[in-house]
Amino acid sequence: TLPSVNLYLRVLSYVKPYRLMVALSLLSSILFVMFNAFSIWMVSTLISTIMNPGKSVTPNVMNTASMYENMEGLTYQLIGSGSQLEQLKMLCFILVVSYVMKNVFFYINNVSLSYVQNRMIMDIRNQLFSHLQNLPLSFFKKSKSGELSSIIMNDVSSMRVAFTQSIQSLINEPISIFVLLGMLFIISSKLTLYAIITVPFSALIITKLGQSIRRKAMRSSLSIAGIMNILQETLSGIRVVKAFAMEKFEVKRFMSETKKYFSLTFKQENLRNLSTPINDLIGVSLGVILLWIGANEVIVHGNLTPDGFIRFIIYLFAMLQPARKLGNVNAQIQGGLASAERVFSIIDIKSNITNPIHPVEIQEFTNQIKFNNVSFQYENSENLILSSININIHRGEVLALVGSSGAGKSTFADLIPRFYDVTSGEIIIDGIDIREFTVKNLRSLMGIVSQDTILFNDTVAHNISYGLPEAGIDEIRQAAKTANALEFIDNLPNGFDTIIGEKGTRLSGGQRQRISIARALLKNPDILILDEATSALDTESERKVQEAIDTLVQNRTVIVIAHRLSTITKADQIIVLDEGEIVESGTHEKLLEINGKYKHLYNIQFGGSGK
């Protein structure tokens, strides 16, 4: 179908940078096929002539002879006019040379194609990963990480298996078929036309099988993504699984998904394996029919010589092998196209967080951040998360965001670095709409410390210098000291060179948070966003982290999201959000005097102490 062709051509577009290697492969393939056809001709000469003692091996070559007769004459000239033993010796030498040359070009062809194929798949995987890095947070909120991992690894690998084999076959096999078909026409055009008649019938069966394989391959891709999701969720939440004694439930859930995957892949393999017997059956049926017709041409009508008939059969069966491979290509391609669809479905997603054509450059934050009638709602949602927000945050000021869960606090903070774009209104920094800056330039002004500390399976030093990779060890050490983290880092087995495990699992919550603060300190941002940075810590860890935060916020513009109101009593400005709207704003003391939402939240936490 046309969409399949377009999809396949899109995959092939990744071959363009490697055109010279493809050309080398194509040339090698042509030479391989020519030497292969020549070697088959010489073998047929051995069988039909030299091994036939009663046959004359020196026919006259006349100008009026057919192409076939001329080729026979040239063959006899090549092997000489000596005795049969001498001719056999010469023919064996020619066969060795032709087979050596054939295999040299076969090797060059395969190596050059292998390079192109693997580079092409590497480019696709790299593009996919790069594209994922540039997609907005809204994409990741509605996508499962297991499914994305499955697409990057499994689907791209499926494309590699399918297209590396199919590209090779699509280059080599058609050349072989055309050359061998040409030889068949030279020997007997009548018999060759009979052979061609069966092609549409064979193509129809192969196409129907391929379409079914593609549908099952698509369902298999979705199923393996489901398996990866269960695996990822279970491993990351293993503590909860064990705490609630849900091991058997998770095993049953996993086994149910793998059984579904087995059923799909087994059906897919059944269809793929069916294509070879069908092609063979068509080929054998064709061979039997042509044997009957050809034998009649030789015995009854005398239109074909016995030698010609032997050569025709040898070439016909030599052609069936590349024809069979070419028939199987469709099954391989359809499986690859199902994976390609999923890969390109991600690549084709356009990010709504784009850079301006003529960006403005900002070196430092000097004045204020202004929310000008800002409203926001998520894609495909009818409800506003933030509604008509108007507020000014001056340089050096600490702004605290307070409100119940779902009030819009995190969304408010996420709009400043453009993790999302406002639905309406504008956010202005130093008099310029933040959409006028490049995303990289805007975020270079900011440091973020969140409740869910994200660390990488690397060294302590690498995690602290993430975002500033050129930082030296002295700078990293000073940032760790300021973040109140140096003491525990020096006690680690390898100090700053200690690998901290996936997501920092070898560290405690408080230690991870202080590493995160050290990371923000090293970057030395003008604007700092603290998203409930101490809410998940015990009292002692909170005290150490809070000391680090107190150091971190000095001489910076800070936006703090806090559940524990004790951490924000000194804030210059506190805004209380309720259902996406600012319902109160002011200092801690002023908000207590208002006796409104803030006072209610404060009393809940401090037992109605009032101050």
Side-chain angles (χ1 to χ4, degrees):
T1 60
L2 188 60
S4 297
V5 172
N6 292 337
L7 190 59
Y8 191 77
L9 289 175
R10 184 173 181 183
V11 175
L12 288 184
S13 68
Y14 287 86
V15 175
K16 286 180 182 177
Y18 313 109
R19 287 188 291 265
L20 288 177
M21 292 296 284
V22 173
L24 175 63
S25 173
L26 191 62
L27 177 62
S28 302
S29 182
I30 292 170
L31 291 170
F32 161 76
V33 171
M34 297 303 291
F35 276 104
N36 187 48
F38 176 71
S39 63
I40 293 171
W41 180 274
M42 297 310 290
V43 167
S44 67
T45 299
L46 174 69
I47 294 169
S48 67
T49 305
I50 294 179
M51 294 304 180
N52 184 1
K55 178 173 174 61
S56 170
V57 293
T58 54
N60 294 323
V61 180
M62 303 172 60
N63 292 333
T64 57
S66 67
M67 185 180 291
Y68 173 70
E69 291 171 331
N70 280 326
M71 288 178 65
E72 270 197 324
L74 289 171
T75 304
Y76 300 139
Q77 289 178 12
L78 191 62
I79 62 176
S81 57
S83 67
Q84 283 186 314
L85 200 60
E86 289 172 340
Q87 288 180 331
L88 178 61
K89 188 190 299 182
M90 188 63 186
L91 193 143
C92 289
F93 173 75
I94 292 169
L95 274 177
V96 169
V97 172
S98 65
Y99 267 86
V100 167
M101 295 304 296
K102 180 178 83 167
N103 283 287
V104 165
F105 290 117
F106 177 80
Y107 175 78
I108 294 171
N109 169 48
N110 284 343
V111 167
S112 53
L113 263 185
S114 177
Y115 175 84
V116 172
Q117 293 155 0
N118 286 288
R119 289 286 303 195
M120 179 184 80
I121 295 300
M122 182 190 75
D123 291 345
I124 291 173
R125 183 174 274 133
N126 288 345
Q127 184 189 357
L128 179 58
F129 184 79
S130 299
H131 185 69
L132 281 172
Q133 301 303 306
N134 294 315
L135 290 177
L137 279 183
S138 56
F139 168 78
F140 297 95
K141 277 189 176 291
K142 60 190 178 186
S143 300
K144 297 175 182 176
S145 57
E147 184 174 353
L148 295 177
S149 299
S150 174
I151 291 172
I152 291 174
M153 297 310 299
N154 296 313
D155 283 310
V156 175
S157 293
S158 296
M159 287 174 65
R160 180 184 179 279
V161 171
F163 290 106
T164 53
Q165 293 174 1
S166 67
I167 291 171
Q168 195 164 0
S169 296
L170 285 173
I171 288 178
N172 294 346
E173 311 315 336
I175 295 173
S176 292
I177 290 170
F178 281 120
V179 170
L180 296 174
L181 197 62
M183 296 302 294
L184 289 174
F185 264 111
I186 290 171
I187 297 167
S188 173
S189 57
K190 183 179 180 181
L191 287 178
T192 306
L193 288 171
Y194 280 125
I196 292 173
I197 290 171
T198 64
V199 171
F201 175 68
S202 178
L204 179 64
I205 295 174
I206 291 166
T207 301
K208 292 295 181 185
L209 278 173
Q211 289 171 351
S212 185
I213 288 171
R214 182 174 174 182
R215 288 193 297 270
K216 286 175 175 57
M218 177 62 80
R219 291 199 287 269
S220 297
S221 295
L222 293 171
S223 182
I224 194 68
I227 292 172
M228 288 196 70
N229 273 324
I230 294 172
L231 186 63
Q232 194 160 323
E233 287 173 359
T234 306
L235 293 178
S236 61
I238 192 68
R239 182 184 291 270
V240 176
V241 173
K242 290 185 176 297
F244 287 87
M246 292 294 285
E247 292 93 339
K248 286 187 177 179
F249 170 81
E250 292 299 341
V251 168
K252 187 177 179 181
R253 190 161 71 110
F254 186 80
M255 289 175 69
S256 173
E257 199 66 36
T258 54
K259 186 177 180 182
K260 188 195 303 179
Y261 179 65
F262 161 77
S263 177
L264 286 166
T265 50
F266 185 63
K267 288 176 182 175
Q268 186 180 333
E269 287 302 316
N270 274 347
L271 288 171
R272 186 177 282 119
N273 292 329
L274 194 59
S275 63
T276 299
I278 286 176
N279 283 329
D280 269 356
L281 189 61
I282 292 170
V284 169
S285 301
L286 170 65
V288 169
I289 293 168
L290 290 176
L291 275 171
W292 174 257
I293 297 172
N296 274 278
E297 289 292 308
V298 174
I299 298 168
V300 179
H301 305 293
N303 295 330
L304 187 64
T305 65
D307 291 351
F309 182 57
I310 291 171
R311 280 199 172 101
F312 185 90
I313 294 301
I314 292 173
Y315 272 106
L316 177 66
F317 281 95
M319 192 181 74
L320 288 179
Q321 184 179 1
R324 185 170 60 247
K325 286 183 179 178
L326 198 59
N328 292 337
V329 163
N330 185 56
Q332 295 169 351
I333 287 175
Q334 294 304 324
L337 287 180
S339 292
E341 272 189 281
R342 282 164 55 77
V343 169
F344 290 132
S345 71
I346 303 296
I347 291 177
D348 289 339
I349 295 172
K350 303 297 181 185
S351 175
N352 55 1
I353 308 294
T354 56
N355 288 321
I357 298 173
H358 303 292
V360 177
E361 187 79 15
I362 183 169
Q363 300 300 328
E364 60 178 333
F365 172 55
T366 58
N367 189 6
Q368 69 172 1
I369 303 170
K370 181 178 182 180
F371 276 65
N372 186 15
N373 203 30
V374 168
S375 294
F376 176 80
Q377 67 186 83
Y378 290 109
E379 290 179 55
N380 304 319
S381 172
E382 296 178 358
N383 301 321
L384 286 172
I385 306 300
L386 293 173
S387 178
S388 302
I389 302 296
N390 290 284
I391 192 165
N392 294 337
I393 309 165
H394 297 282
R395 185 180 182 275
E397 190 174 78
V398 176
L399 170 75
L401 304 172
V402 176
S404 55
S405 295
K409 303 185 299 297
S410 293
T411 302
F412 180 102
D414 286 345
L415 292 177
I416 299 172
R418 285 191 75 196
F419 290 154
Y420 305 97
D421 268 341
V422 299
T423 303
S424 63
E426 56 187 352
I427 300 174
I428 296 169
I429 292 182
D430 291 347
I432 302 169
D433 190 316
I434 60 172
R435 288 168 291 196
E436 295 297 311
F437 307 124
T438 64
V439 171
K440 184 176 182 180
N441 182 216
L442 173 68
R443 293 174 186 169
S444 69
L445 302 174
M446 301 174 193
I448 299 173
V449 181
S450 63
Q451 175 186 357
D452 300 321
T453 306
I454 304 299
L455 299 178
F456 300 94
N457 187 23
D458 210 315
T459 63
V460 172
H462 176 270
N463 276 281
I464 293 175
S465 63
Y466 192 80
L468 201 67
E470 67 275 11
I473 188 61
D474 291 337
E475 295 172 278
I476 294 170
R477 191 174 182 84
Q478 183 58 46
K481 182 179 179 181
T482 309
N484 207 4
L486 193 57
E487 181 182 350
F488 82 80
I489 293 173
D490 283 339
N491 288 329
L492 292 172
N494 298 307
F496 281 90
D497 292 325
T498 303
I499 303 292
I500 61 175
E502 188 179 359
K503 297 182 180 179
T505 50
R506 296 177 189 172
L507 304 178
S508 70
Q511 289 172 338
R512 289 198 297 270
Q513 199 62 283
R514 279 176 277 166
I515 294 288
S516 180
I517 290 168
R519 182 163 63 195
L521 274 165
L522 185 64
K523 189 180 180 184
N524 194 26
D526 293 342
I527 301 166
L528 182 65
I529 299 171
L530 301 175
D531 188 352
E532 303 180 31
T534 63
S535 65
L537 304 179
D538 58 69
T539 305
E540 178 61 20
S541 295
E542 182 187 357
R543 183 185 65 77
K544 291 180 178 179
V545 170
Q546 192 58 51
E547 287 175 5
I549 288 174
D550 290 341
T551 304
L552 180 61
V553 300
Q554 290 176 13
N555 304 315
R556 302 184 201 282
T557 307
V558 185
I559 294 97
V560 185
I561 301 170
H563 277 162
R564 298 185 184 181
L565 302 187
S566 59
T567 62
I568 58 162
T569 55
K570 297 177 183 178
D572 299 295
Q573 187 179 183
I574 301 171
I575 63 171
V576 183
L577 288 167
D578 187 32
E579 295 185 356
E581 296 183 351
I582 298 176
V583 292
E584 296 172 16
S585 65
T587 62
H588 171 69
E589 291 78 12
K590 180 182 175 183
L591 290 173
L592 287 179
E593 290 173 6
I594 293 173
N595 198 26
K597 182 80 172 177
Y598 182 82
K599 177 71 175 290
H600 174 69
L601 293 170
Y602 190 86
N603 287 339
I604 290 173
Q605 288 192 19
F606 296 98
S609 62
K611 290 187 180 178

